Amino acid sequence: MEEQQLTRLNKYLSEAGYCSRREADKLIDAGRVTINGVVPEMGTKVAPKDTVAVDGEIIKNNKDSFVYLAFNKPVGIVCTTDTKVEKDNIIDFINYPKRIFPIGRLDKPSEGLIFLTDDGDIVNKILRASNNHEKEYVVTVDKPISQTFINRMSNGIPLEELGKTTKKCKVKKLDSHTFNIILTQGLNRQIRRMCTYLGYEVQTLKRVRIMNIKLDVPVGKYREFTKDEIKTLNTLLEDSTKTFQAKQSRNRREN
């Protein structure tokens, strides 16, 4: 069997639209994945004629018809695929006829745009932190917004609990209590933590854009990406992947 005909097991599950590579690694680690009825060793690759199953369910790798959804998540819905643990989960709420999973997350008290797909490879590309993809939010806080608040939010906030300082970002005041913010990183509860540091409390938080795709459906509804959106998205991802690879190559030369 030639090497190029073999596929890493986590990549196979990702390309089949079962889950992301990260989730696939967890399933493999837990011994829930089999190849031809046998639990494989870590690093085992899959041949075209192999039968891959998760918990006994055969997973077929069909790359031809991926689903890409733009969903307006309501407040109170959790971005998890673990339907057994969390009853207010995004998968049960949408009830889509194919197995899909969210790209990234949006906190339970937040609302707005989130992508769902069965294309595991695009998940990895979008989530890669080095890609600096823009995400735009509209946020309402509990007291009047000062120019000092805008300046400090824009220039980076030290988040000691995460051991990081936020990257510089674009922040614009919309009215006395509302601002627009465009981030290129996705730290845990980042905007809420930044506001708390400056003595403000977030009242509402809505994501209105991810990269080239804008929120344009009612709360609780979804739509498929247009062909033009997919084309532009793939171009952005291709460019950012090349930048990431060039950065890796440069770092190896310097070390």
Side-chain angles (χ1 to χ4, degrees), residues 180-231:
N180 176 288
I181 182 168
I182 300 174
L183 300 179
T184 55
Q185 65 184 144
L187 301 177
N188 183 29
R189 296 174 62 83
Q190 180 172 342
I191 296 171
R192 294 177 188 277
R193 291 179 191 272
M194 291 169 75
C195 290
T196 298
Y197 181 87
L198 296 175
Y200 288 73
E201 184 178 327
V202 170
Q203 302 294 298
T204 65
L205 190 156
K206 177 189 289 188
R207 185 156 62 198
V208 296
R209 178 173 64 87
I210 300 173
M211 298 174 68
N212 62 305
I213 298 176
K214 295 179 180 179
L215 181 66
D216 57 3
V217 292
V219 175
K221 303 296 183 182
Y222 64 82
R223 66 166 177 84
E224 295 184 353
F225 290 7
T226 66
K227 289 182 179 178
D228 284 345
E229 284 174 336
I230 293 172
K231 184 177 178 181

